[in-house]
Amino acid sequence: PFGYVGIESVLDQMRRKAMKTGFEFNIMVVGQSGLGKSTLVNTLFKSRVSRKSCQSNYEEKISKTVNLMSVSHIIEEKGVKMKLTVIDTPGFGDQINNENCWDPIIKYINEQYEKYLKEELNINRKKKIPDSRIHCCIYFVPPTGHWLRPLDVEFMKRLGKIVSIVPVIAKADTLTLEERQEFKYQIRQDLQAHGIRVYPHKEFDEDAEDRILNDKIREKIPFAVVGTDREHQVNGNKVLGRKTKWGIIEVENVAHCEFANLRDLLIRSHLQDLKDVTHNIHYECYRVRRLNESNM
Ligand code: GDP
Ligand code: MG
């Protein structure tokens, strides 16, 4: 029996279109220097983002990041190509005075909106506008175990207004499981007290199903992550891990840390939603503001 519309055929068309055009997804890592941002980017590409392990052109030895730097990989699955780009940023907090240390990051994010807007307004508009907009910003909180520092509060306040942020507890292997739980709770309180909006936002849950799924994520935020640039042997298998005095922390094992939860949120369960929120909320805000101020 066939339906009236032939949804199967519509889905097929969408698939074919996706196969032809592919899509872009851009993540940015932000936080004080030394918190493991570059290491986590490396871990992300080394972990199972794709069945076929993608070859890495990323620096094997991680050196100090001095400039905004982007790393891209084309990931192909079932004929659909995704260009995953991670923007690594130099850490801040090295200066005695950290005032306005967010400026270069905010500027970069806005510049990508501006580029997109220029393309949209172009008379000879491209069929497909290259998308360098940041779909998600991972903010690294230092594992102090206490509360958010004023610097992190100020930074996230500004970021949260222009981009989707997912906060993480950096180097979570330096905290016990109990300490992580307490710290998470404290951070969530702080975020709320300061009116900092992190992804996924409650008010954008579309239905009860969304809410149940997203509540589970919100309970875990900020994810306690561990990054590594090494593989270790565990029970005869090679796993991405980090040696600590308690043994090897398996980075992709959800009993050990929440790296896999973060990865799955970003590039599996919420990828399309992050793209939609970026386009419909953050970019739209930017666009309206720009058109108002310039009467372009
Ligand atoms: P970035 O400045 O934020 O980019 O930090 P890096 O990735 O350069 O890492 C700084 C140092 O922290 C390096 O010595 C890393 O090996 C170490 N490191 C990175 N991730 C972790 C982690 O999850 N746990 C621990 N204990 N150390 C880490
Ligand atoms: Mg770095």
Side-chain angles (χ1 to χ4, degrees):
F2 47 86
Y4 291 109
V5 181
I7 290 297
E8 282 300 324
S9 138
V10 177
L11 290 176
D12 220 45
Q13 291 164 42
M14 288 163 81
R15 239 179 87 80
R16 253 180 295 148
K17 190 166 167 226
M19 284 168 77
K20 267 196 201 126
T21 54
F23 59 93
E24 292 150 307
F25 191 64
N26 309 311
I27 300 171
M28 185 183 223
V29 292
V30 176
Q32 186 170 325
S33 60
L35 289 180
K37 295 182 297 299
S38 300
T39 305
L40 199 86
V41 172
N42 204 354
T43 312
L44 183 69
F45 284 121
K46 277 192 172 165
S47 84
R48 280 171 250 127
V49 282
S50 116
R51 295 272 151 69
K52 267 191 285 174
S53 70
C54 46
Q55 39 167 290
S56 169
N57 56 4
Y58 198 57
E59 279 269 304
E60 277 300 320
K61 267 269 159 286
I62 292 165
S63 46
K64 190 162 170 159
T65 320
V66 285
N67 290 309
L68 279 173
M69 189 175 87
S70 75
V71 198
S72 296
H73 284 279
I74 308 280
I75 293 166
E76 193 171 340
E77 227 173 85
K78 299 196 170 162
V80 180
K81 285 199 181 92
M82 163 166 92
K83 184 175 171 206
L84 175 63
T85 300
V86 182
I87 319 292
D88 194 359
T89 63
F92 51 84
D94 295 339
Q95 273 71 42
I96 294 172
N97 184 356
N98 286 306
E99 209 175 308
N100 303 330
C101 61
W102 39 76
D103 281 353
I105 307 279
I106 305 273
K107 182 163 163 263
Y108 180 88
I109 295 171
N110 281 329
E111 276 168 3
Q112 311 317 308
Y113 292 142
E114 184 67 26
K115 264 193 208 164
Y116 198 90
L117 181 62
K118 286 258 162 64
E119 290 286 354
E120 268 192 344
L121 298 175
N122 202 330
I123 306 252
N124 303 309
R125 190 155 64 146
K126 292 192 181 99
K127 233 178 162 175
K128 186 175 172 282
I129 299 176
D131 191 2
S132 60
R133 295 170 300 180
I134 301 297
H135 300 111
C136 184
C137 184
I138 307 174
Y139 191 90
F140 285 64
V141 175
T144 61
H146 303 299
W147 37 75
L148 283 183
R149 304 168 308 167
L151 180 60
D152 296 316
V153 169
E154 289 305 314
F155 211 131
M156 279 195 274
K157 255 190 196 166
R158 287 167 172 80
L159 275 180
K161 287 185 183 137
I162 61 168
V163 72
S164 295
I165 37 180
V166 172
V168 299
I169 298 174
K171 299 186 173 181
D173 54 305
T174 59
L175 300 172
T176 65
L177 291 178
E178 293 76 40
E179 286 169 333
R180 291 183 206 175
Q181 276 323 107
E182 254 177 64
F183 192 30
K184 274 170 175 243
Y185 177 77
Q186 185 60 48
I187 291 173
R188 284 198 297 265
Q189 297 277 308
D190 289 351
L191 290 172
Q192 200 172 12
H194 292 284
I196 298 169
R197 294 156 33 105
V198 299
Y199 183 84
H201 307 297
K202 257 204 168 85
E203 59 268 46
F204 300 150
D205 292 347
E206 274 172 13
D207 50 33
E209 200 188 329
D210 262 14
R211 192 166 335 113
I212 293 168
L213 179 71
N214 288 341
D215 275 345
K216 284 213 186 90
I217 291 162
R218 285 188 280 263
E219 275 167 23
K220 285 212 166 72
I221 279 184
F223 295 118
V225 299
V226 177
T228 185
D229 45 14
R230 295 211 35 199
E231 287 184 326
H232 292 272
Q233 288 284 344
V234 175
N235 304 326
N237 294 319
K238 268 196 174 170
V239 298
L240 283 169
R242 184 157 207 111
K243 224 181 198 142
T244 71
K245 57 185 171 195
W246 302 284
I248 288 171
I249 297 229
E250 296 166 34
V251 165
E252 293 182 84
N253 183 340
V254 287
H256 292 193
C257 81
E258 294 167 331
F259 167 79
N261 302 82
L262 172 70
R263 178 198 55 201
D264 290 353
L265 173 81
L266 296 180
I267 63 173
R268 302 213 167 108
S269 60
H270 286 62
L271 186 142
Q272 189 55 46
D273 188 58
L274 280 161
K275 283 170 72 84
D276 291 345
V277 169
T278 301
H279 187 73
N280 299 331
I281 314 280
H282 299 302
Y283 173 65
E284 191 55 21
C285 274
Y286 181 85
R287 197 179 68 88
V288 168
R289 184 155 54 80
R290 281 287 283 129
L291 297 185
N292 275 337
E293 74 190 16
S294 67
N295 292 316
M296 270 160 120

